[in-house]
Amino acid sequence: MRLTLKLTTYFKMLLLIIGICSLFLLLFLSLYLYVGQQEKDVFKVNSNQYKTEVSKLFDFNSKTQVVTINDLTYWDSLVKFTKTKDTVWYNTHIVNEFPTYEVDYIAIYGLDKKNIAHTSNPNFKSNNFIPVQAMMHLYKKKFSKFYMRIPEGVVEVFGGTIHASNDPKKVKSKPAGYMFMARILNQKYFKNLEDMCSSKIKFLDKKVIPHNIGNKKVTSIIELRDADNLVVTKLFFERPSHLNFEKTKELLLIIVIATLISLISAIHYFRKWVYKPLKLVTTILESDREISIYQLKKEPGEFGYIGNLFEDHRKNRSQLEKSKEKAEESDKLKSTFLANLSHEIRTPMNAIIGFSDLLLDEKLSDEFKKKYLKIINSSGKSLVSIIEDLIEMSKIEAKQIAPKFKGVNIEKCLNELFNTLKVTIPDDKNIRFYQQESNFKLTNDILTDEIKLKQVIINLLTNAIKFTENGHVAFGYSVFSDQKFLEFRVEDTGIGIVKKDLNVIFDRFRRVEDDYSISLSGLGLGLSISKAYVEMLGGEITVESVFGGGSVFKFTIPLRYDVTVHEDDESLPIMAFNDTEGKTILVAEDDNINFLLLKTILQKKKHTVLRAKNGQEVVDINASNPNIDLIFMDIKMPVMDGYEAFEIIKKETPERIVIAQTAHSSAEVKERILKAGFSGYITKPLDKEKIFELINKTFQNNVIS
């Protein structure tokens, strides 16, 4: 009887164990399938996001060429060229600028669809391959982008109809012709696009690879269509999806086996190890709550790993959203900056070219000639200022600029700036310009970079004067000895800045756009450069402003006194020196126009001018002509640069006076020139008064020494 009871009990326990095991098997099988489904869903979301990202980045990769052709096709000179077919103009304005357009081929067609001119890279042999049908479509659309196969490979073609600059783009007016740009989809093109979207890219003509999760990669296909909207080829994008659910599946299988072996222990810990994590997974899938992911990560075993996967997915999605926003913002900023740059450069260039053309009129009076020449000179200086800002910003971005600390007399520095800037205020502005009293007079020199400090103050004062019509512009400094810093202050009663713009005015290529500021020139780099300089000096810059009520800019620099002992050199007598004339001057210049300008300037003082076209010629002429009094040495020359030529000349004729001339105006270049031993330097564009002053000073110092 007892044996029967024991067998019955054992059988019931066996049935219970089998039932519980079946239940757990069913449970873990469901979990296994559920995780597999989640793997597919997550992969599908990543795949869709990837397709959207690829599409946007693919279009963004062509933005530069789109902006360029839209700019060029609304150019009066290009309209004129379609009629005159002036090859000199074409070579000067298209061929010479061809490398900057970042394309492999440029062609201009007349309205009769016949090729007028074309330019291409040496490895681009095809010509006149644009189909007539493409021009017919372009005539209606004014702009098109399509793809073609040519012997060199697949090319991306941008087309635009040519119009006058005053022709509104929305009016369907008759164009003067057609302009096409093309670039080969070569290794360089793919490398750039692959870097942008972190993907592998290849042509996909026949075999289509399905979108699956077996290879753990997300893919996207972009069709490249010709002018008739027919598919030419396809681009296949592929990137690892970083999804790894295999370990999760393996762990689930281990759990199933462990459950069969340790059923009783599994029942005891079921609620703790299974129920709670599953609830968290469900909560995450339904609401994507961050706190649930954090709690799931803390769970032991496979559920913590699933939490890491969910966290990785969340981070990837967040990163994709940030990348999208960054790409869109960069696209917008780049387009805006390019448009602004084009406008800012064309404005002074228009004045230079336009008034130069008017000067050719033989009947023009001397009064108008002087007026036009002043405008050309002013526009040239504006153009140089724009280029210098661009170069300076590029050097800052490349971290090629470092501060040069030395002792600076702050009082003297600010007085010089005041005297320099007060004469620049336009007469039509009712502005009171003055210096504010400091809370403490500095008697010792401060250790800082004087050039960069002055540039920051000049930038802030120039802006203040520009945006102020009535009231005052003032500047000064305060000393905070206990905190060991100086605070400089520039305030004005100008138009002020809207509150929403205060956070972006120090950003690169940003400008506050309103009815007043739009009428003023500038690339929006002045405040960015100032901020970079202040941070180099170890300080911070801030702004307070009320729209319509003026602005106050403040920046700080560390308060460090210069302990270097300076001894005044009173051994040199003060000598009067008249204008230097009748000297023999050797000009080392490889550019014909620059040489002609410098020669004309020097001949006004009756100097005899010799010329060398490269560094080697300078050395040879100097060695064969002992009567040379002075050498103007261009730093950048073929065969041998100015530094090499200078070293040889100084070894052969140590007494020879050599002045450097360079197109670079940065403090680093000037310091290198003077450290090399040159007697002086001039920067381009050349100023005749500065040249005469430098020659007089150089010969005077030479006589004294």
Side-chain angles (χ1 to χ4, degrees):
M1 184 67 179
R2 288 184 178 181
L3 180 60
T4 303
L5 182 60
K6 287 182 179 180
L7 289 174
T8 302
T9 304
Y10 179 78
F11 182 74
K12 288 181 179 179
M13 291 179 61
L14 182 61
L15 289 177
L16 178 62
I17 292 173
I18 294 173
I20 294 175
C21 287
S22 300
L23 178 63
F24 272 90
L25 285 173
L26 180 62
L27 175 63
F28 283 108
L29 179 61
S30 300
L31 183 59
Y32 182 86
L33 296 175
Y34 183 76
V35 172
Q37 182 61 42
Q38 290 305 309
E39 179 184 10
K40 295 178 182 179
D41 292 342
V42 171
F43 180 84
K44 184 177 180 181
V45 171
N46 282 351
S47 181
N48 291 336
Q49 291 176 344
Y50 177 67
K51 291 175 183 177
T52 302
E53 177 190 359
V54 164
S55 178
K56 290 184 176 295
L57 291 176
F58 179 77
D59 292 337
F60 178 72
N61 191 40
S62 303
K63 279 291 183 181
T64 299
Q65 288 72 27
V66 172
V67 171
T68 299
I69 197 167
N70 281 332
D71 191 26
L72 292 178
T73 51
Y74 282 84
W75 189 4
D76 294 337
S77 297
L78 186 58
V79 173
K80 184 178 179 181
F81 171 73
T82 60
K83 299 174 182 179
T84 61
K85 300 176 177 59
D86 183 2
T87 56
V88 174
W89 180 92
Y90 180 83
N91 290 333
T92 301
H93 295 84
I94 300 298
V95 176
N96 289 348
E97 296 297 322
F98 177 77
T100 66
Y101 298 144
E102 299 181 10
V103 293
D104 300 295
Y105 176 81
I106 290 180
I108 299 174
Y109 289 79
L111 203 56
D112 57 356
K113 303 178 181 60
K114 293 183 179 180
N115 184 269
I116 298 175
H118 72 278
T119 303
S120 63
N121 285 333
N123 59 347
F124 197 101
K125 305 300 181 182
S126 296
N127 176 35
N128 201 19
F129 57 87
I130 305 298
V132 174
Q133 190 69 19
M135 299 183 204
M136 295 173 63
H137 293 319
L138 183 59
Y139 186 90
K140 299 177 181 179
K141 297 180 180 179
K142 289 196 174 183
F143 172 80
S144 66
K145 183 178 81 169
F146 57 93
Y147 300 83
M148 294 180 62
R149 281 191 183 276
I150 61 174
E152 286 80 3
V154 178
V155 293
E156 184 179 41
V157 183
F158 305 87
T161 53
I162 300 172
H163 298 268
S165 61
N166 60 356
D167 183 14
K169 296 183 179 180
K170 295 183 179 180
V171 178
K172 294 183 178 180
S173 58
K174 184 178 180 181
Y178 308 92
M179 183 175 188
F180 292 90
M181 289 182 173
R183 59 174 175 172
I184 303 174
L185 273 59
N186 53 17
Q187 186 176 1
K188 179 181 178 182
Y189 173 91
F190 280 105
K191 179 65 170 58
N192 182 56
L193 193 55
E194 286 176 347
D195 291 343
M196 290 177 63
C197 59
S198 302
S199 305
K200 292 294 183 181
I201 307 171
K202 62 183 177 181
F203 285 116
L204 188 66
D205 292 326
K206 296 180 180 179
K207 183 179 178 181
V208 177
I209 299 177
H211 295 205
N212 56 62
I213 61 174
N215 55 10
K216 302 301 179 187
K217 295 178 180 178
V218 287
T219 60
S220 180
I221 297 176
I222 293 181
E223 295 180 343
L224 306 183
R225 297 178 178 271
D226 61 15
D228 294 321
N229 203 32
L230 299 177
V231 176
V232 176
T233 184
K234 300 176 183 178
L235 288 182
F236 180 76
F237 293 75
E238 183 181 74
R239 183 170 70 189
S241 64
H242 304 295
L243 293 176
N244 187 3
F245 284 81
E246 295 301 323
K247 289 187 178 296
T248 302
K249 296 176 181 178
E250 294 172 3
L251 289 173
L252 288 174
L253 292 175
I254 294 174
I255 291 175
V256 173
I257 298 173
T259 302
L260 294 174
I261 298 173
S262 309
L263 179 60
I264 297 176
S265 297
I267 293 173
H268 178 72
Y269 291 103
F270 172 77
R271 180 175 180 81
K272 180 179 179 180
W273 287 356
V274 178
Y275 177 75
K276 182 182 177 182
L278 283 177
K279 187 176 180 180
L280 288 173
V281 170
T282 303
T283 303
I284 293 168
L285 294 173
E286 291 177 350
S287 62
D288 195 28
R289 293 175 57 189
E290 187 174 359
I291 184 64
S292 298
I293 296 176
Y294 174 75
Q295 292 175 349
L296 185 60
K297 286 175 57 181
K298 294 174 64 177
E299 292 295 325
E302 70 283 357
F303 289 106
Y305 185 76
I306 294 174
N308 290 329
L309 290 176
F310 278 118
E311 185 179 55
D312 290 342
H313 168 65
R314 187 184 182 92
K315 289 180 179 179
N316 288 339
R317 186 178 62 189
S318 175
Q319 188 62 38
L320 285 173
E321 291 173 353
K322 290 179 180 179
S323 298
K324 176 185 175 184
E325 292 174 0
K326 185 176 180 180
E328 291 175 348
E329 179 69 11
S330 298
D331 182 19
K332 182 179 178 181
L333 279 177
K334 184 176 181 181
S335 298
T336 302
F337 173 68
L338 287 175
N340 191 29
L341 175 62
S342 175
H343 173 268
E344 293 299 331
I345 290 179
R346 285 180 180 274
T347 298
M349 284 301 298
N350 181 58
I352 293 170
I353 295 173
F355 284 102
S356 297
D357 186 54
L358 292 176
L359 285 172
L360 298 176
D361 186 359
E362 297 179 353
K363 298 180 181 179
L364 194 66
S365 66
D366 291 340
E367 180 183 354
F368 278 101
K369 286 182 179 179
K370 291 180 180 179
K371 181 179 179 181
Y372 293 167
L373 287 172
K374 287 182 179 179
I375 294 174
I376 292 172
N377 183 268
S378 175
S379 299
K381 292 178 179 178
S382 298
L383 189 60
V384 170
S385 176
I386 291 171
I387 295 172
E388 287 181 345
D389 277 354
L390 284 172
I391 294 173
E392 195 70 9
M393 198 69 235
S394 298
K395 289 184 176 180
I396 291 173
E397 290 293 318
K399 302 186 184 305
Q400 295 179 350
I401 296 180
K404 308 293 183 182
F405 293 103
K406 63 179 183 179
V408 179
N409 186 316
I410 296 297
E411 291 289 338
K412 180 181 177 182
C413 175
L414 295 186
N415 288 334
E416 290 176 354
L417 290 177
F418 176 76
N419 293 327
T420 301
L421 290 174
K422 70 179 180 180
V423 298
T424 66
I425 300 176
D427 296 334
D428 59 345
K429 290 195 175 189
N430 183 25
I431 297 176
R432 186 165 67 93
F433 182 49
Y434 63 92
Q435 285 183 261
Q436 297 171 327
E437 290 292 331
S438 173
N439 64 333
F440 179 80
K441 292 293 184 182
L442 292 169
T443 56
N444 296 329
D445 290 353
I446 300 301
L447 199 61
T448 188
D449 188 320
E450 182 176 11
I451 294 176
K452 290 178 175 58
L453 175 63
K454 282 185 175 181
Q455 190 61 52
V456 173
I457 299 175
I458 289 172
N459 287 347
L460 296 179
L461 286 174
T462 302
N463 272 355
I465 294 171
K466 182 192 297 185
F467 291 101
T468 303
E469 294 295 331
N470 298 285
H472 72 269
V473 172
F475 71 105
Y477 72 94
S478 299
V479 181
F480 294 84
S481 300
D482 54 338
Q483 301 179 41
K484 296 183 179 181
F485 70 86
L486 293 178
E487 181 183 81
F488 293 85
R489 175 187 179 98
V490 175
E491 67 175 53
D492 63 71
T493 56
I495 63 173
I497 305 169
V498 180
K499 185 176 180 180
K500 66 181 181 64
D501 293 325
L502 290 175
N503 295 327
V504 300
I505 61 171
F506 293 110
D507 294 347
R508 291 181 306 136
F509 313 130
R510 293 272 197 173
R511 289 185 63 192
V512 177
E513 300 289 351
D514 53 39
D515 293 340
Y516 183 81
S517 62
I518 288 175
S519 64
L520 301 174
S521 62
L523 291 176
L525 295 179
L527 290 178
S528 300
I529 294 173
S530 298
K531 181 176 183 291
Y533 280 172
V534 170
E535 291 174 350
M536 284 183 197
L537 299 179
E540 297 179 348
I541 186 168
T542 58
V543 59
E544 299 173 3
S545 183
V546 177
F547 185 67
S551 304
V552 178
F553 285 85
K554 299 177 183 178
F555 71 91
T556 62
I557 63 171
L559 178 59
R560 296 197 297 263
Y561 291 105
D562 181 22
V563 296
T564 306
V565 178
H566 300 281
E567 297 182 359
D568 295 333
D569 187 2
E570 300 179 353
S571 60
L572 298 179
I574 299 175
M575 297 181 61
F577 201 88
N578 297 324
D579 285 350
T580 304
E581 296 184 356
K583 299 292 184 179
T584 300
I585 299 177
L586 173 59
V587 175
E589 176 61 71
D590 59 313
D591 185 82
N592 293 331
I593 295 177
N594 287 338
F595 169 72
L596 179 60
L597 175 60
L598 185 54
K599 176 183 177 183
T600 304
I601 292 173
L602 294 174
Q603 286 180 341
K604 289 182 177 291
K605 295 295 184 180
K606 300 178 182 179
H607 296 302
T608 301
V609 180
L610 307 178
R611 183 188 184 184
K613 294 184 178 181
N614 58 60
Q616 186 61 53
E617 286 189 10
V618 180
V619 174
D620 295 341
I621 295 175
N622 177 74
S624 62
N625 194 336
N627 297 323
I628 294 175
D629 297 300
L630 182 146
I631 299 175
F632 274 102
M633 180 77 75
D634 190 14
I635 295 299
K636 187 176 181 181
M637 289 186 297
V639 182
M640 182 189 296
D641 67 24
Y643 292 113
E644 294 178 73
F646 176 76
E647 289 182 6
I648 297 174
I649 289 173
K650 278 300 181 180
K651 288 180 181 179
E652 296 178 350
T653 51
E655 75 286 353
R656 185 75 72 233
I657 301 173
V658 184
I659 295 175
Q661 55 170 328
T662 176
H664 300 286
S665 58
S666 65
E668 288 74 12
V669 173
K670 295 176 182 177
E671 183 178 356
R672 182 184 176 188
I673 289 173
L674 295 178
K675 187 177 290 186
F678 286 88
S679 300
Y681 65 89
I682 57 173
T683 58
K684 301 173 184 176
L686 301 176
D687 184 303
K688 68 176 185 299
E689 298 302 330
K690 290 183 179 180
I691 292 174
F692 295 151
E693 180 182 349
L694 178 60
I695 292 175
N696 291 340
K697 182 179 178 181
T698 301
F699 277 108
Q700 181 178 1
N701 292 339
N702 192 55
V703 170
I704 293 174
S705 61

